[in-house]
Amino acid sequence: MFKRAIRAGSMALVTVLWVLAALAAARPAAAADLAASLDQLARGDFAAKGAAVEAIAGSGHERAEAILQALIDGQLAQVPATGQLVITAASGSVLRLIDPISGAGVSEAERGAVAPITINNRLRAAIRGALGSLTLLSADADRRRAAADAVFRARDGAVVPILETAIARETSDRVRARLERALSALRAVNPALPAADRIRAIERLAASPDQEVGSLLAGVVAGEADAAVRAAAEEALKRVEARLALWGAVGGLFQGLSLGSVLLLAAVGLAITFGVMGVINMAHGEIMMLGAYTTFVIQEWIRTNAPHLFDYSLAFAIPTAFVVAGGVGILIERGVIRFLYGRPLETLLATWGVSLILQQTVRTIFGPNNREVGNPSWMSGAIEVVGGLTLTYNRIWIIVFSLIVFALLMVLIARSSFGLQMRAVTQNRRMAASMGIRTGYVDALTFGLGSGIAGIAGVALSQIDNVSPNLGQSYIIDSFMVVVFGGVGNLWGTLVGAFSLGIVNKVLEPYAGAVLGKILVLVAIILFIQKRPRGLFALKGRAVEN
Amino acid sequence: MGAHPTAAAPPRPSSLLGGPAGVITVGILLAIAVLLPVLNLAVPPSSALHVPTWALALVGKYLCYALLALSIDLIWGYCGILSLGHGAFFALGGYAMGMHLMREIGPRGVYKNPELPDFMVFLNWQELPWYWHGFDSFAFACLMVVLVPGLLAFVFGWFAFRSRVTGVYLSIISQAMTFAFMLAFFRNDMGFGGNNGLTDFKDVLGFDLQADTTRAALLALSALAVAAAFVVCRFIVTSRLGKVLIAVRDAESRVRFLGYPVASYKLFVFTVSGVMAGIAGALYVPQVGIINPSEFAPANSIEIVIWVAVGGRGTLYGAILGAFAVNYAKSFLTGAIPELWLFALGALFIGVTLFLPKGICGSLPRLRGRRRPPPETTAVARGPLADVPGAQP
């Protein structure tokens, strides 16, 4: 509602601006010219249509944008009987016909009673470029920016005057940079300009390298007749590609860190339960799923009862998810696992059964489809570090969050008396028991802690992944791999394991593809286990041997 | 674990089959192989004794699952190796057979290409990939059904057992193995039909796969294969080698300290088991008419284990019984109340491990009448020790 009002407002402003611009240019907004161009659109071949599009875009008429938009949407049509051009709009079962020049409704017609004006791909590109140039003077900075990029892509020399006007008027530095980039692109590919100007434009382009600049320069290198320009483009392309490769690597590293932080959150709880109890909890993924669904429920509650608190929803979700998941974990431990100590393979099967039940329960309650969990405003959006490298806030926050969780956990284990007891049980259960530690109690709490962390991991996952009953399944094997790779009973191993697997996965991705990269990592881990059956950071000593 | 009286003596048939239970198992399997086809083909549909074709297909599928369950019981029940990746061997055997069946379609595919299967034409491939060569020969395909899963099991086992990867570690990496296979086979570039897998089979050795006679023959073949596998497994576990396997299951380090090459024993039985799973897959594919990468899914492999656990591990016939019981329940429940199936399966996993650790066959009192149960059953009765970490290095 609000958005629509803004859009309507900005449209009105654009119209006003256009009228002003048209007046300022002292160009008569000749409806007659426009009618002639429309006529050309209706009758001419594609070349004539191209000229007409250019003429309409350059006419400065207030309806130019609407006409071009209708043309590209296939809504500009001709009434066969009269030859009149109309813009069609679906209204119920019939089409409402609108006069393109006045914008007023004319009449109605059956579907199929009018013949849409056909366009081809070349024309479509030209129209996009023209539309881009028309919005270059929009009041909305985002639209101007988008228009500048559209012009950059269309590379239609006819918009240069408008572009120059736009640059002169531009108030925002960021938008001006985009506009200048578009102008440089147009200059760089314009064979009519002197070589020196074009080389300067190429230099300017190379100063803000990104993927599109790269492909533009590559096009110049391939198809340029002027040797000096080609040489400049070649040299610039080399620099651009080097920068892009560097940023690609940095981006990959960031992606890897992000994946690693997710794996860390998912695996650290598993590592604790596995380390202390020697129990592989196959329901771990489903406990993460519970955390994600807890976030969903809390957000829904906040949406209906206290929408102003939405940005703080995660602050409520994290402790709740910890309690819910931890509670379920303790229930599982007391209800199932307790009876299976000393039989790890049976525990594995029983917890698999628990995972199936949890999955189906959630599916029954919440349905099988993805549930939408929103990002709070401080987590949505992205930061553009440089031209080719954007980092999304939610991933940055999750990296930070995973490290905080890890640090808290380390402190808990190293400094608290519960941590001391946990370590004692991990290292030598019998000895710990004979020292008076209630190992059963430690087991239950440890399992609760591990599950609670899984719940928190679920909260984080809900911010970047689909919340569905299958959420847990997709992470469980990866988490196992992290634990097995990192080594049992040592959380540093889990940290190193998670981040190295995440980074290796993402670094391999561009070369091998996502799936093959993952397969390679799995195979590498299987082979690694042969070399070090107890993982990267294995516990040493006699206690390990039993 | 005292020596069984018949262990040293040349085995009599009934002791090779493991007493009445084994005799009954083989008897039932042979009866299935003979009776069901006869009741389907020779008895008119109007008769009450007529067995409909869909029932043949269903029993045939269960028989393949039973063979798969046997392969798990052999390693888990008798050697303590819990593989969560046996679906990979099953699916590889299935793919080997499926590739032959694809080649047999010949020019009858949708695109009428005499050389390339439909999905390759669809992907615009120009020629058959090298690894598809030879599969037009049935004998070669059968060889591959045995060789490919067998080789994989050997290589995987060689790496795993040599470096003493045991217990849950082995379970997890076997699961990772089948997961990796699943990802790989989902790729179109692999040349195995990607997502859709291999399907639309027409006939095998010239016999129409849809014909009742072919289905009956495949069913009989599957039943005979299960019976044969049962006898082979019995032979293995009652031999001297079988005794060592059971000892490895119960106390691996002690066996090693006694000088036995534990890894070789494990490797042998794991490879045999992989081959059995592959054969099961090869019999499965012509009967269900499709093989696709979802057969590699880790969840499938874990399900096999629960069949064995339900039936009773370490009994062999229990595995067959479990495969039939669980899969019948699955067919019934997914048809009648689909949303209940996962609850039931989950409860089965928990219930069996908590309350019925020996499975149905291990818990039925005095199944064998007055005969003393053979030693491996008593060993299972000791249950927990088999998995106590202290028993493994």
Side-chain angles (χ1 to χ4, degrees):
Chain A
M1 198 69 173
F2 192 54
K3 259 186 186 166
R4 202 177 300 162
I6 289 185
R7 200 178 302 152
S10 65
M11 286 294 280
L13 259 174
V14 173
T15 318
V16 170
L17 264 179
W18 257 113
V19 172
L20 286 179
L23 287 177
R27 194 161 357 158
D33 286 359
L34 197 61
S37 305
L38 280 173
D39 196 48
Q40 208 175 350
L41 263 188
R43 285 176 228 293
D45 56 6
F46 284 125
K49 282 178 183 172
V53 165
E54 235 166 78
I56 293 172
S59 70
H61 193 277
E62 59 183 56
R63 292 283 303 161
E65 191 183 346
I67 291 170
L68 290 179
Q69 191 62 52
L71 180 58
I72 200 166
D73 292 343
Q75 286 168 346
L76 192 67
Q78 189 176 22
V79 182
T82 60
Q84 186 197 6
L85 269 192
V86 288
I87 294 176
T88 62
S91 123
S93 62
V94 294
L95 291 175
R96 214 153 54 79
L97 305 184
I98 300 163
D99 181 60
I101 298 177
S102 68
V106 184
S107 61
E108 289 184 346
E110 292 292 313
R111 276 171 199 276
V114 293
I117 304 292
T118 53
I119 50 177
N120 60 5
N121 276 339
R122 200 195 162 108
L123 208 48
R124 201 165 282 129
I127 298 169
R128 286 220 185 87
L131 276 173
S133 68
L134 284 176
T135 42
L136 278 174
L137 301 170
S138 161
D140 178 6
D142 285 341
R143 285 194 75 188
R144 290 201 301 273
R145 196 190 142 133
D149 290 349
V151 168
F152 178 90
R153 277 173 217 128
R155 274 168 231 158
D156 174 9
V159 293
V160 167
I162 305 180
L163 204 51
E164 279 166 344
T165 319
I167 290 172
R169 282 197 204 162
E170 187 52 61
T171 49
S172 152
D173 286 344
R174 286 181 59 187
V175 178
R176 187 178 306 114
R178 303 305 280 191
L179 290 169
E180 274 166 358
R181 170 171 168 270
L183 185 61
S184 305
L186 292 182
R187 287 201 173 134
V189 297
N190 185 356
L193 286 178
D197 282 3
R198 299 182 61 193
I199 290 169
R200 207 174 307 127
I202 287 172
E203 294 296 317
R204 208 170 292 155
L205 275 179
S208 58
D210 58 34
Q211 211 69 50
E212 289 181 336
V213 168
S215 57
L216 179 130
L217 289 176
V220 173
V221 169
E224 182 54 48
D226 188 329
V229 174
R230 189 169 60 236
E234 228 164 287
E235 198 266 333
L237 181 62
K238 238 177 251 157
R239 266 187 294 151
V240 167
E241 273 173 352
R243 290 292 285 276
L244 285 181
L246 178 68
W247 288 339
V250 174
L253 197 68
F254 174 73
Q255 293 277 326
L257 282 177
S258 167
L259 179 64
S261 66
V262 168
L263 288 178
L264 177 64
L265 280 171
V268 78
L270 201 64
I272 292 176
T273 49
F274 191 24
V276 175
M277 287 176 272
V279 159
I280 274 290
N281 177 18
M282 297 291 268
H284 192 80
E286 274 59 37
I287 293 176
M288 296 201 298
M289 173 194 72
L290 286 185
Y293 273 94
T294 308
T295 318
F296 167 70
V297 170
I298 286 189
Q299 283 202 347
E300 285 301 293
W301 189 87
I302 287 181
R303 273 202 185 113
T304 48
N305 294 311
H308 57 282
L309 287 178
F310 189 77
D311 274 356
Y312 303 97
S313 59
L314 293 190
F316 298 107
I318 289 171
T320 320
F322 184 84
V323 171
V324 169
V328 171
I330 291 180
L331 275 182
I332 296 174
E333 202 276 341
R334 290 286 93 182
V336 178
I337 296 175
R338 176 159 67 111
F339 304 107
L340 296 171
Y341 280 136
R343 293 153 67 193
L345 297 182
E346 262 103 339
T347 317
L348 192 152
L349 294 179
T351 50
W352 176 258
V354 171
S355 82
L356 293 180
I357 291 178
L358 286 178
Q359 227 180 83
Q360 190 59 29
T361 309
V362 167
R363 199 170 283 136
T364 311
I365 298 175
F366 294 97
N369 299 328
N370 290 348
R371 288 301 187 154
E372 198 199 321
V373 173
N375 287 138
S377 60
W378 47 272
M379 272 182 87
S380 49
I383 174 173
E384 188 171 345
V385 182
V386 280
L389 183 63
T390 48
L391 310 177
T392 52
Y393 280 120
N394 54 4
R395 293 198 173 265
I396 296 175
W397 276 115
I398 287 173
I399 294 175
V400 172
F401 180 67
S402 71
L403 293 176
I404 292 175
V405 169
F406 183 79
L408 286 179
L409 201 61
M410 288 307 277
V411 170
L412 179 76
I413 289 174
R415 299 276 172 219
S416 72
S417 75
F418 170 62
L420 184 66
Q421 295 181 2
M422 227 173 82
R423 279 181 287 145
V425 174
T426 311
Q427 283 166 14
N428 194 328
R429 174 175 293 268
R430 283 187 198 167
M431 189 61 81
S434 41
M435 289 302 197
I437 294 173
R438 292 158 62 197
T439 55
Y441 177 76
V442 172
D443 283 338
L445 279 190
T446 310
F447 206 85
L449 177 68
S451 304
I453 292 171
I456 295 181
V459 177
L461 279 182
S462 75
Q463 295 298 310
I464 50 170
D465 205 344
N466 297 325
V467 177
S468 80
N470 302 326
L471 175 90
Q473 296 271 304
S474 39
Y475 285 95
I476 190 72
I477 292 199
D478 286 338
S479 325
F480 284 154
M481 290 297 113
V482 168
V483 173
V484 166
F485 177 66
V488 176
N490 187 333
L491 288 187
W492 289 111
T494 311
L495 181 81
V496 174
F499 280 107
S500 41
L501 288 194
I503 290 170
V504 168
N505 237 321
K506 289 293 172 187
V507 167
L508 275 180
E509 220 164 72
Y511 306 103
V515 177
L516 202 58
K518 194 156 186 184
I519 296 171
L520 287 178
V521 170
L522 282 176
V523 171
I525 294 175
I526 294 179
L527 291 178
F528 174 83
I529 296 301
Q530 326 297 334
K531 205 76 201 146
R532 301 191 66 140
R534 304 251 156 210
L536 209 53
F537 293 81
L539 280 183
K540 294 195 175 64
R542 287 182 57 182
V544 180
E545 288 299 317
N546 52 38
Chain B
M1 199 185 299
H4 193 270
T6 57
R12 285 173 292 122
S14 76
S15 75
L16 177 63
L17 297 182
V23 174
I24 292 170
T25 310
V26 173
I28 291 177
L29 286 170
L30 294 179
I32 289 178
V34 176
L35 272 184
L36 284 190
V38 169
L39 290 179
N40 173 254
L41 297 174
V43 177
S46 52
S47 163
L49 285 174
H50 176 76
V51 173
T53 307
W54 61 262
L56 281 194
L58 207 59
V59 174
K61 198 169 91 172
Y62 292 168
L63 283 166
C64 300
Y65 289 152
L67 185 51
L68 186 55
L70 268 181
S71 74
I72 285 280
D73 197 18
L74 181 64
I75 53 168
W76 187 37
Y78 290 91
C79 198
I81 304 168
L82 177 58
S83 161
L84 296 184
H86 251 50
F89 305 123
F90 179 78
L92 283 176
Y95 265 98
M97 180 53 74
M99 284 161 82
H100 172 66
L101 297 179
M102 284 309 266
R103 300 291 287 132
E104 268 213 43
I105 297 175
R108 284 169 294 171
V110 178
Y111 296 107
K112 314 281 180 221
N113 189 319
E115 185 64 20
L116 297 183
D118 276 348
F119 72 88
M120 291 190 191
V121 181
F122 184 74
L123 289 175
N124 237 337
W125 290 25
Q126 295 308 320
E127 57 179 28
L128 213 56
W130 60 268
Y131 45 83
W132 274 75
H133 288 295
F135 276 94
D136 39 348
S137 142
F138 183 73
F140 179 81
C142 288
L143 191 66
M144 285 299 134
V145 161
V146 174
L147 272 189
V148 173
L151 197 67
L152 175 68
F154 182 82
V155 172
F156 181 85
W158 190 74
F159 276 120
F161 301 137
R162 200 184 46 133
S163 48
R164 301 186 196 174
V165 176
T166 52
V168 286
Y169 282 92
L170 187 99
S171 305
I172 290 172
I173 62 166
S174 61
Q175 192 180 30
M177 173 196 74
T178 190
F179 185 64
F181 268 103
M182 181 178 77
L183 293 179
F185 273 72
F186 264 122
R187 290 164 36 111
N188 277 332
D189 311 353
M190 281 286 286
F192 293 108
N195 245 352
N196 302 322
L198 309 176
T199 186
D200 277 341
F201 308 132
K202 305 286 189 231
D203 48 27
V204 55
L205 291 176
F207 299 106
D208 181 7
L209 277 173
Q210 302 305 321
D212 286 359
T213 43
T214 317
R215 288 187 168 278
L218 283 169
L219 171 99
L221 201 61
S222 310
L224 292 177
V226 178
F230 180 78
V231 174
V232 168
C233 289
R234 282 295 311 176
F235 181 75
I236 291 176
V237 300
T238 50
S239 66
R240 284 176 164 279
L241 178 139
K243 303 278 174 246
V244 179
L245 291 180
I246 294 166
V248 167
R249 174 191 73 189
D250 291 342
E252 186 169 331
S253 346
R254 288 185 214 175
V255 179
R256 185 172 292 121
F257 297 153
L258 285 173
Y260 287 96
V262 169
S264 311
Y265 282 95
K266 283 175 132 183
L267 187 54
F268 169 76
V269 75
F270 192 73
T271 309
V272 170
S273 164
V275 169
M276 277 168 62
I279 294 173
L283 287 166
Y284 175 83
V285 167
Q287 299 190 62
V288 299
I290 183 167
I291 176 84
N292 63 28
S294 64
E295 295 294 340
F296 285 106
N300 282 10
S301 297
I302 299 187
E303 229 179 286
I304 310 167
V305 174
I306 202 65
W307 306 339
V308 179
V310 167
R313 55 185 276 219
T315 58
L316 293 179
Y317 53 84
I320 300 176
L321 179 75
F324 269 85
V326 177
N327 280 298
Y328 178 73
K330 182 175 185 173
S331 305
F332 175 74
L333 274 182
T334 46
I337 343 172
E339 58 279 4
L340 210 62
W341 164 242
L342 275 187
F343 283 125
L345 186 64
L348 200 60
F349 270 100
I350 299 171
V352 166
T353 44
L354 282 186
F355 305 115
L356 212 62
K358 286 173 274 173
I360 299 172
C361 291
S363 307
L364 281 186
R366 297 283 124 201
L367 185 71
R368 299 142 200 247
R370 284 168 291 126
R371 273 182 66 95
R372 203 161 64 90
E376 55 273 8
T377 330
T378 39
V380 171
R382 286 160 60 199
L385 186 66
D387 286 333
V388 166
Q392 298 171 349

